[in-house]
Structures are given as structure tokens and as C-alpha cells.
Amino acid sequence: GAPAPGPMSGARNAPAPAAASAARRFMAGYLAYLYGHAPGSQIEAATPHLIGTIGRGKAPVAPAARRLRPVIVALGAREPSGNVLHVTALVSDGLARYPVRFVMVHDQRGWETTALANPE
């Protein structure tokens, strides 16, 4: 039968190695920003526009959240549509597990995250 829907539904395929590497680099910087460990300007594998949008201010981080160390426990992607890839990273920070969805585009610079996606 079909897999049961869950946090990774719609993201069943492992991304190609180059896309997965870029996705992990993006998520490392994005999670560091979200948890108050680094400024948004240090996010990698993202378009300058997205970095500028994310990095405009400091993330409002509660002191308790700063102590957490988020990790990616799963990374999946929908079948690519041309040079566009919809990625879901399942994150665990010790208190919660949650998906982060984002859109990546492949161009002459390689794979870059262009947007964070709204939850489905």
C-alpha cells in the first residue's frame, strides 16, 4: 500500500548528492540562525535575496532554545521539476521534531535555496 502520510509526506526521494550537500549546508546555517548560534548572514547555499531577507534581523530566540542543538534526522525531496527541487528536512532539537520545507534551484552556481516554503 501507499506510505502513511506524515511529516515527510510529499518528500519521499533522497535528493541527488549535490542537492543534498547544498541542502545540508543551507540547513546548518539556517538552524544556527534560528537557534541564535549565528547571524543569518552566515547562511550558505542560498540566494543573496533569501539571505538578505532572513538576515535582516536577529531571530527572536528564547534563552532555553539557545541551549538546544538541532540536527537534521531526515532529508527528502519531491521529484525535481526541471531545475527546481522542493526539499523537506526533518529536524530534531531534543524537544521537538518538525519539518522545514524549502525550494532549491539549480543554475550555473549549482544548487541554491531560493525560498522557505509555507507548511502544506
Side-chain angles (χ1 to χ4, degrees):
M8 295 295 286
S9 65
R12 294 179 184 83
N13 303 311
S21 174
R24 288 184 184 282
R25 286 197 334 272
F26 167 74
M27 284 300 299
Y30 182 63
L31 290 173
Y33 165 75
L34 278 185
Y35 285 78
H37 303 157
S41 60
Q42 292 187 4
I43 296 171
E44 295 181 18
T47 61
H49 175 76
L50 180 60
I51 292 169
T53 302
I54 291 171
R56 277 198 190 111
K58 290 199 130 208
V61 181
R66 288 181 186 274
R67 292 191 291 271
L68 299 174
R69 295 291 177 250
V71 295
I72 298 168
V73 295
L75 191 65
R78 292 188 192 149
E79 194 66 33
S81 174
N83 65 339
V84 177
L85 188 64
H86 292 265
V87 179
T88 300
L90 184 60
V91 177
S92 175
D93 65 11
L95 293 179
R97 286 169 72 104
Y98 58 92
V100 176
R101 293 179 178 89
F102 51 99
V103 179
M104 299 183 79
V105 172
H106 188 269
D107 63 16
Q108 68 274 12
R109 293 183 304 264
W111 286 101
E112 287 187 311
T113 299
T114 61
L116 292 164
N118 294 324
E120 294 172 354

